[in-house]
């Protein structure tokens, strides 16, 4: 890798909105404006749209009218064949969503017939389990290709369910340069800074746990603990107490790092109770609206490119561009990453994927050991990781029973259904997803 000219492969580049945001962040770094951006997607139309959007962004940020004096422009290539995009890559960004909108709709509609409520459905629960199972074959193939054509590359994964995918990747493929990236810690602290009226730049914090269920262990402004200030706000504002994450904070003592919609799915206390859904204003099925809006945004982008209309794209403050910049230039910074728990969190399973602070510099991504979590936080995280372990085991050991056992272990599913109905639900999900699953897991088990 030449200084400032890494090759960065986008796998699933047809997720055009996300690709655009990441490219805007990448090209905001002058040192990366000569990078080779290799785009890959299996959908030809989406790949062409992604390429057009990428060239538009590059011209706007680095072209002759950009106001930049550096003159460097990225090399942008589009590849229908994945290995061609990966050949010689220094970084691989995985943003694939297997099955797209129709599979996601299935993840919601079939559980809903059984009375299982979901809000996001991409991390735990029936939605998370089957999103993982249809993603694992892609990850196995991607890992094999990386091992052959770019074995030294860093694989930066954005595809959910994050913790399960990273665990599967590292165990099924043997790759070690794998980091799962999510913006939840960053945006949680940004939102709290706004709520507390404190400049984000003046806050220091530390979080740890698992993806979408990590905990703010420290939250300080100029060395002063901000939790007492948050407690006073919560006491004075009844509407704040109508948020799941605030309710969890009040009872557990540490603020969770994901939205109330997400957080409600990972525990048995909320979605199974009509009164709690109403009290906490939980938008059941909310992710389907997000998916529809993403499709509409893609279509607007495609239309704008066809008409020659300028695209308005904002930076996203995502971690992948920061990691690429730090490794390429040696600039040290701290990000939050999802990595195997090799001595990082003492009271969580060593086989699981944890979310911890990571130092990034020219040596790569170096996770930080955080010791033990508060017991009550670790208890919830262990349940989460136990379910993950069963899903990953199902795929690695070709064991369809482990799929059902994972659903039995999931807190929200177990709170909603008896075990016989959980097994029936899993059979219906297997029928619906069909060929997206590895053959050994397409078995129907009944009761």
């Amino acid at each position: 890798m030449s200084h400032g000219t890494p090759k960065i492969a986008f796998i699933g580049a047809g997720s055009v909105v996300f690709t655009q945001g990441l490219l805007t962040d990448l090209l905001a770094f002058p040192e990366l404006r000569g990078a080779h951006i290799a785009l890959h997607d299996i959908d030809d139309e989406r790949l062409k749209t992604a390429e057009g959007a990428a060239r538009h962004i590059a011209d706007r940020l680095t072209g002759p009218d950009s106001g930049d004096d550096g003159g460097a422009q990225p090399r942008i290539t589009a590849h229908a064949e994945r290995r061609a995009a990966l050949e010689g890559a220094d970084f691989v960004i995985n943003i694939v969503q297997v099955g797209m909108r129709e599979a996601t709709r299935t993840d919601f509609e079939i559980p809903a017939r059984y009375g299982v409520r979901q809000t996001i459905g991409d991390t735990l629960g029936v939605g998370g389990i089957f999103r993982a199972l249809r993603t694992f074959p892609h990850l196995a193939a991607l890992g094999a290709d990386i091992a052959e054509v770019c074995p030294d590359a860093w694989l930066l994964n954005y595809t959910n369910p994050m913790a399960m995918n990273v665990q599967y990747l590292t165990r099924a493929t043997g790759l070690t340069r794998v980091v799962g990236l999510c913006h939840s810690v960053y945006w949680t602290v940004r939102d709290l800074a706004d709520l507390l009226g404190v400049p984000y730049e003046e806050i220091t914090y530390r979080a740890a746990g698992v993806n979408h269920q990590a905990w703010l262990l420290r939250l300080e402004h100029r060395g002063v603990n901000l939790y007492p200030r948050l407690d006073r706000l919560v006491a004075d504002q009844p509407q704040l107490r109508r948020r799941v994450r605030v309710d969890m904070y009040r009872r557990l003592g540490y603020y969770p790092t994901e939205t109330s919609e997400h957080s409600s799915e990972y525990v048995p206390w909320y979605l199974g109770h009509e009164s709690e859904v109403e009290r906490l204003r939980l938008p059941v099925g909310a992710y389907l609206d997000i998916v529809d809006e993403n499709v509409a945004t893609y279509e607007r982008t495609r239309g704008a490119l066809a008409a020659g209309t300028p695209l308005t794209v904002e930076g996203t403050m995502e971690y992948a561009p920061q990691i690429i910049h730090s490794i390429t230039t040696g600039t040290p910074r701290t990000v939050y990453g999802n990595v195997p728990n090799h001595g990082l969190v003492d009271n969580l399973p060593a086989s699981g994927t944890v979310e911890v602070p990571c130092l990034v510099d020219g040596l790569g991504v170096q996770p930080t050991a955080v010791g033990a979590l508060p017991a009550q936080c670790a208890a919830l995280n262990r349940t989460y990781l136990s379910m993950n372990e069963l899903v990953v085991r199902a795929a690695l050991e070709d064991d369809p029973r482990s799929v059902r056992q994972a659903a039995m272990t999931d807190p929200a599913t177990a709170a909603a259904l008896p075990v016989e109905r959980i097994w029936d639900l899993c059979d219906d999900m297997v029928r619906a997803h069909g060929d997206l699953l590895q053959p050994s897991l397409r078995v129907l088990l009944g009761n």
Side-chain angles (χ1 to χ4, degrees):
M1 175 174 61
S2 301
H3 179 77
T5 58
K7 181 177 180 180
I8 306 163
F10 283 71
I11 307 301
S15 301
V16 173
V17 177
F18 203 50
T19 297
Q20 289 180 94
L22 289 172
L23 282 173
T24 301
D25 288 346
L26 279 166
L27 299 180
F29 292 111
E31 300 94 335
L32 298 179
R33 290 179 180 172
H36 177 183
I37 307 297
L39 307 172
H40 164 70
D41 202 277
I42 61 173
D43 185 310
D44 184 61
E45 180 194 271
R46 279 184 169 266
L47 180 58
K48 289 178 180 176
T49 303
E51 182 183 10
R55 294 191 185 283
H56 175 87
I57 291 167
D59 289 343
R60 181 166 64 85
L61 294 178
T62 66
D65 298 325
S66 67
D68 176 64
D69 295 329
Q73 278 195 287
R75 177 188 174 198
I76 296 170
T77 57
H79 308 269
E81 204 277 313
R82 181 172 61 214
R83 289 170 70 95
L86 292 172
E87 188 74 45
D90 301 293
F91 302 95
V92 179
I93 299 176
N94 181 53
I95 46 178
V96 166
Q97 183 181 349
V98 176
M100 300 291 286
R101 175 165 56 173
E102 290 312 308
T104 300
R105 194 167 295 281
T106 296
D107 287 344
F108 278 85
E109 290 180 349
I110 293 179
R113 291 178 206 152
Y114 282 77
V116 176
R117 295 184 176 110
Q118 298 177 104
T119 50
I120 306 297
D122 72 352
T123 299
L124 295 186
V126 178
I129 290 169
F130 282 88
R131 179 180 282 235
L133 292 176
R134 64 178 184 264
T135 304
F136 289 170
H138 158 71
L139 297 178
L142 175 62
D145 283 349
I146 290 172
E148 288 190 27
V149 303
C150 55
D152 295 326
W154 284 92
L155 174 54
L156 308 178
N157 178 67
Y158 276 104
T159 297
N160 284 318
M162 181 63 67
M164 279 191 268
N165 285 343
V166 171
Q167 183 174 348
Y168 177 83
L169 264 168
T170 54
R171 288 173 61 177
T173 70
L175 296 178
T176 57
R177 291 186 168 189
V178 178
V179 185
L181 301 176
C182 175
H183 53 218
S184 61
V185 173
Y186 169 79
W187 284 111
T188 292
V189 178
R190 293 290 310 213
D191 290 345
L192 284 174
D194 291 342
L195 183 65
L196 296 167
V198 176
Y200 168 79
E201 294 74 18
E202 296 179 9
I203 289 179
T204 54
Y205 61 93
R206 169 166 284 202
V210 293
N211 182 238
H212 292 169
Q213 198 186 62
W215 314 93
L216 283 176
L217 304 177
R218 295 179 62 181
L219 183 68
E220 299 174 357
H221 178 234
R222 297 178 179 174
V224 177
N225 183 6
L226 285 172
Y227 271 148
R229 188 168 176 174
L230 179 59
D231 292 340
R232 291 191 293 272
L233 270 178
V234 170
D236 292 342
Q237 298 185 25
Q239 290 304 308
L240 281 179
R241 299 196 293 276
R242 297 186 66 192
R243 299 181 186 178
V244 164
R245 66 200 308 197
V246 172
D247 194 74
M248 291 177 66
Y249 164 63
R250 290 175 62 214
R251 301 173 194 282
L252 298 169
Y254 295 88
Y255 203 80
T257 61
E258 199 31 281
T259 65
S260 292
E261 291 83 358
H262 275 279
S263 296
S264 67
E265 294 188 311
Y266 314 145
V267 294
W269 313 317
Y270 302 116
L271 284 169
H273 306 280
E274 188 66 47
S275 60
E276 290 296 86
V277 171
E278 183 177 343
R279 176 176 76 91
L280 297 165
R281 302 167 293 186
L282 289 172
V284 175
Y287 190 64
L288 293 177
D289 293 334
I290 296 171
V291 170
D292 288 343
E293 177 54 33
N294 286 342
V295 172
T297 303
Y298 162 74
E299 291 173 348
R300 288 194 296 270
T301 299
R302 182 185 59 192
L305 289 168
T309 305
L311 298 175
T312 302
V313 182
E314 301 292 335
T316 58
M317 298 298 291
E318 290 289 351
Y319 286 137
Q322 298 178 52
I323 288 173
I324 292 169
H325 180 261
S326 285
I327 293 176
T328 302
T329 66
T331 304
R333 53 168 55 88
T334 298
V335 303
Y336 277 80
N338 293 273
V339 293
N341 186 25
H342 296 159
L344 302 173
V345 183
D346 294 342
N347 51 351
L348 293 183
S351 61
T353 299
V354 293
E355 189 165 60
V356 295
C358 299
L359 169 67
V360 193
D361 58 19
L363 297 177
V365 180
Q366 303 153 71
T368 301
V370 298
L373 296 178
Q376 67 275 27
C377 299
L380 290 182
N381 287 169
R382 281 195 293 269
T383 299
Y384 174 123
L385 291 177
S386 293
M387 200 216 76
N388 287 6
E389 175 68 26
L390 288 164
V391 177
V392 172
R393 187 175 75 178
L396 294 178
E397 299 182 6
D398 298 313
D399 181 8
R401 289 178 63 88
S402 287
V403 176
R404 281 75 178 170
Q405 292 160 356
M408 291 166 61
T409 304
D410 174 68
T413 306
L417 296 177
V419 288
E420 294 90 348
R421 296 293 285 164
I422 292 174
W423 282 51
D424 289 341
L425 170 55
C426 287
D427 274 2
D428 276 351
M429 293 293 286
V430 168
R431 289 187 188 95
H433 284 303
D435 292 345
L436 294 178
L437 308 180
Q438 65 192 60
S440 61
L441 299 182
R442 298 173 194 169
V443 178
L444 303 178
L445 298 182
N447 285 315

